[in-house]
Amino acid sequence: MEVDQAIRGSDDMRLKTKYNNAIYVIQRALALYSIEEVALSFNGGKDSTVLLHLLRAGYFLHKGEQSCSNGGLTSFPLRTIYFESPSAFPEINTFTYDAASRYGLQLDIIRSDFKSGLENLFKANPIRAIFLGVRIGDPTAVGQEQFSPSSPGWPPFMRVNPILDWSYRDVWAFLLTCKVQYCSLYDQGYTSIGSIHDTTPNSLLCISDSSGHKEKFKPAYLLSDGRSERAGRVKKCSPISQSSPVAEDGLDDPESQVKRMRTGSAIAVGDEILSGAVQDELGPLLCRKLRSIGWSVSQTTVVRNDIDSVAEEVERQKSSNDLIFIYGGVGPLHSDVTSAGVAKAFGVRLAPDEEFEEYLRHVIGKHFTGDRNEMALLPEGITELLHHENLSVPLIKCQNVVLLTATNPTELEKEWECLVDFTKSVLTLMEPYESKSLTTHLSDVEIAQSLSKLCMQYPDLNIVCHRKSRAGPLVISFEGKEEARIESAAEALRKKFQDGVFSET
């Protein structure tokens, strides 16, 4: 009961909400299944430690204070599964056995692989549900909900995830508020613990020591950005070819790839544009901005405020453009589906971003719900926040898709100025376009063949025509990267007709 009392006495409203939601999931599971039919999967890590104490509190509240009036729970009747691995840290094993002794856990130790161990355990025990300390952002969390059946090919059981929507901050707020013991590795700079072969202290917590002695690290709860939780996990990568830089998401080195054309596109999300109620002012402005830094624009499109419509358009464009700029549909309203659409296009789910949530909390203030703010749910694993001193809230970039929050040209001008400052990570400034325009009163029929031949003769130039009215003059624009080529093309067109037919604008 000390866990419940610690949370009730806390001033952290967010933690209270997370706790209440998790307890609700636990009590719901205990109402659906008997205590003999449920188990806890415990691995000695911080998440499963949180889950252990949530289950202790949830079981007490489920049974009722009357039946547990002899000084609290002296034994915890929930079966606890521990997969003991030869590659586990000794500290993890020690903490697990200490916790089992301290809280009276019925420990089932499995030394085989996870699937085989469960199959053997299920043969001897009527387990129907297992509590897991899975959080959104974990590799195993993709597609899971608070109650999720086991995957095909596995023993049938219900996966119960009470802390699925908890962030790194929430986990440590709970552990520190409740003053419960956790594995000692977390005080040595480890923020996410796997095996001894793939886990190191998080370098972001390293304490600089000029004496050259053994490195020291701050404890895990001092990590400021929870998105870097797994930074201590060693990644096994294949050797990278040294022959030439590889473009990734349109962000390669501008010096090495300066000759390659960069292409961008714009997607507007808004039923109000498609209905004609509002005119899209941002698309044309984005085109001009991209051209001003030497980029080509492949297309601008408008889609409905519908998750599938956004996802299909992003999916269609993401492989053929260096960057996609998407605007509209960003916010907390029912029609704000842009983030969800982008997530679906990349095959990921929306997950709470605690850093972005803190920005929103600062901007929104008392109107922030304290629970799961929908605006803080961002595409999982692919989101980068673009911080700028002139923006109260960072811009959002998901691989090669930039989500703009601007709703008018003035706001877009401000966001664009900030984007241009990210020339190394987002926008590569290319050689600017040169342009020249000629006007003529020749008819389309008279000039069509000559223009067709000119386009074949100068494939490196963009030669476009337009009229402001059907009876007005024809405007022929030449655009390219080399002024000499533009002058040559314009002169070649003049020579095909009598003097005075064209005038330069």
Side-chain angles (χ1 to χ4, degrees):
M1 196 58 186
E2 76 281 358
V3 171
D4 188 71
Q5 291 171 347
I7 299 298
R8 303 294 176 198
S10 171
D11 294 329
D12 190 335
M13 297 305 298
R14 174 191 169 92
L15 179 59
K16 284 184 176 180
T17 302
K18 295 288 185 181
Y19 172 79
N20 289 334
N21 291 344
I23 292 295
Y24 172 76
V25 173
I26 291 169
Q27 290 183 313
R28 187 177 165 201
L30 294 177
L32 291 170
Y33 308 101
S34 68
I35 197 67
E36 294 79 19
E37 294 176 323
V38 295
L40 159 67
S41 178
F42 189 78
N43 63 10
K46 62 185 184 303
D47 297 338
S48 63
T49 301
V50 167
L51 182 57
L52 166 63
H53 293 290
L54 285 171
L55 282 167
R56 291 178 60 233
Y59 180 72
F60 180 95
L61 295 169
H62 174 69
K63 295 296 289 183
E65 192 168 356
Q66 251 186 345
S67 61
C68 302
S69 58
N70 298 324
L73 290 174
T74 56
S75 64
F76 188 49
L78 189 69
R79 185 176 298 278
T80 303
I81 305 170
Y82 178 56
F83 291 85
E84 189 176 88
S85 168
S87 61
F89 282 88
E91 292 88 343
I92 286 287
N93 286 329
T94 299
F95 173 72
T96 298
Y97 291 120
D98 286 348
S101 175
R102 184 179 305 113
Y103 301 112
L105 305 181
Q106 299 178 16
L107 209 59
D108 282 303
I109 302 172
I110 297 176
R111 294 182 173 88
S112 60
D113 66 275
F114 196 91
K115 186 178 179 181
S116 299
L118 282 184
E119 289 173 343
N120 293 330
L121 182 65
F122 282 20
K123 290 177 183 178
N125 301 277
I127 296 175
R128 296 177 58 198
I130 298 179
F131 289 99
L132 303 170
V134 172
R135 292 189 291 117
I136 288 178
D138 294 343
T140 59
V142 177
Q144 289 205 48
E145 302 296 337
Q146 290 176 327
F147 288 83
S148 291
S150 56
S151 302
W154 284 71
F157 67 94
M158 182 63 71
R159 294 176 289 190
V160 185
N161 304 306
I163 62 170
L164 189 64
D165 66 343
W166 285 41
S167 68
Y168 184 84
R169 169 200 178 278
D170 298 328
V171 167
W172 281 109
F174 178 89
L175 294 173
L176 298 177
T177 298
C178 296
K179 299 180 180 178
V180 294
Q181 293 189 15
Y182 51 82
C183 180
S184 60
L185 289 174
Y186 292 110
D187 285 334
Q188 301 172 34
Y190 291 84
T191 53
S192 177
I193 300 174
S195 76
I196 57 176
H197 305 300
D198 66 3
T199 309
T200 62
N202 194 318
S203 60
L204 296 174
L205 294 173
C206 184
I207 302 173
S208 58
D209 186 359
S210 57
S211 63
H213 295 133
K214 185 179 178 180
E215 284 185 317
K216 293 183 179 180
F217 295 85
K218 292 179 285 187
Y221 57 79
L222 293 180
L223 182 69
S224 58
D225 185 355
R227 294 178 304 159
S228 303
E229 174 184 357
R230 298 178 67 85
R233 294 295 188 99
V234 179
K235 296 180 180 178
K236 297 179 181 179
C237 301
S238 57
I240 300 174
S241 171
Q242 300 297 319
S243 59
S244 62
V246 178
E248 180 182 355
D249 302 335
L251 308 180
D252 34 346
D253 183 0
E255 293 185 3
S256 62
Q257 298 290 325
V258 69
K259 292 184 179 180
R260 186 175 73 80
M261 178 66 70
R262 295 306 176 87
T263 303
S265 66
I267 302 175
V269 181
D271 292 335
E272 67 277 12
I273 299 175
L274 292 172
S275 69
V278 173
Q279 183 177 357
D280 178 21
E281 298 179 296
L282 304 190
L285 179 56
L286 266 174
C287 292
R288 292 193 294 272
K289 292 296 183 183
L290 285 167
R291 300 297 279 183
S292 73
I293 60 170
W295 282 49
S296 171
V297 180
S298 65
Q299 59 193 299
T300 63
T301 55
V302 183
V303 298
R304 295 178 53 237
N305 290 92
D306 173 75
I307 294 176
D308 289 336
S309 297
V310 174
E312 289 169 7
E313 192 61 31
V314 172
E315 171 67 27
R316 188 176 68 83
Q317 295 190 26
K318 67 181 184 180
S319 60
S320 58
N321 290 280
D322 292 288
L323 281 178
I324 300 171
F325 297 87
I326 188 167
Y327 53 94
V330 178
L333 301 176
H334 70 282
S335 57
D336 294 326
V337 298
T338 298
S339 293
V342 172
K344 186 170 184 178
F346 285 99
V348 300
R349 66 188 296 164
L350 291 177
D353 188 295
E354 57 187 83
E355 182 184 4
F356 194 62
E357 193 166 3
E358 288 303 318
Y359 276 101
L360 293 176
R361 188 184 302 275
H362 177 72
V363 173
I364 300 173
K366 65 180 181 180
H367 299 293
F368 197 87
T369 63
D371 186 14
R372 198 171 107 169
N373 190 290
E374 296 298 326
M375 292 175 65
L377 297 177
L378 302 179
E380 176 187 4
I382 62 171
T383 296
E384 176 187 356
L385 298 183
L386 305 177
H387 305 271
H388 196 283
E389 59 183 4
N390 293 332
L391 297 174
S392 57
V393 176
L395 292 173
I396 300 167
K397 178 175 170 292
C398 302
Q399 293 196 9
N400 65 331
V401 179
V402 177
L403 280 68
L404 300 171
T405 61
T407 59
N408 58 56
T410 301
E411 293 173 353
L412 180 58
E413 290 279 2
K414 181 178 180 180
E415 291 184 1
W416 182 262
E417 289 175 5
C418 297
L419 279 171
V420 170
D421 286 343
F422 296 107
T423 53
K424 291 185 178 180
S425 61
V426 181
L427 286 175
T428 301
L429 301 185
M430 307 298 292
E431 184 180 351
Y433 279 97
E434 302 286 343
S435 64
K436 184 186 189 74
S437 294
L438 301 178
T439 61
T440 180
H441 285 279
L442 292 171
S443 69
D444 293 355
V445 174
E446 291 175 293
I447 200 171
Q449 188 174 8
S450 297
L451 284 176
S452 295
K453 291 181 179 179
L454 197 67
C455 288
M456 296 177 65
Q457 187 179 352
Y458 294 88
D460 55 319
L461 299 183
N462 188 28
I463 303 174
V464 296
C465 307
H466 73 276
R467 295 181 188 271
K468 291 186 177 181
S469 67
R470 179 51 56 188
L474 178 69
V475 180
I476 307 165
S477 298
F478 302 83
E479 192 175 51
K481 298 295 181 97
E482 297 182 22
E483 185 177 1
R485 291 284 290 171
I486 292 173
E487 291 294 344
S488 174
E491 184 61 27
L493 182 62
R494 285 193 186 98
K495 288 181 178 179
K496 294 178 182 291
F497 297 91
Q498 296 180 353
D499 290 341
V501 168
F502 298 99
S503 59
E504 187 172 329
T505 59

